[in-house]
Amino acid sequence: MNIVKNMEAVVIAAVALTFVTAMASAEAPRARTAPTSPAAAAKADADAKADMTTIVVTGKRLTAAEKAKLAA
């Protein structure tokens, strides 16, 4: 009967224990970057620029009257 009265404390203690266990067993992330030479970095930069997509949007601008008509 006493445990029912203190159910909030039991739940908080369980959450705290779970958090502490997760933090204690967590592993630090490892570095994911590979060492590169300046030549390889320049080539990767050139490849990235070659693959860049350009989007051109053409169309007429709305007049003030058309904007007011759309807003209403």
Side-chain angles (χ1 to χ4, degrees):
M1 201 46 113
N2 197 13
I3 211 164
V4 174
K5 292 180 181 178
N6 298 319
M7 190 56 90
E8 182 180 2
V10 171
V11 170
I12 290 173
V15 169
L17 183 63
T18 303
F19 178 74
V20 169
T21 304
M23 294 304 283
S25 64
E27 184 177 320
R30 296 187 179 140
R32 296 183 184 176
T33 57
T36 58
S37 65
K43 183 180 182 312
D45 189 38
D47 289 342
K49 288 180 182 175
D51 294 338
M52 187 180 303
T53 303
T54 303
I55 299 173
V56 178
V57 178
T58 58
K60 65 175 190 139
R61 292 187 154 229
L62 296 176
T63 64
E66 291 172 329
K67 287 181 185 177
K69 182 180 176 182
L70 289 174

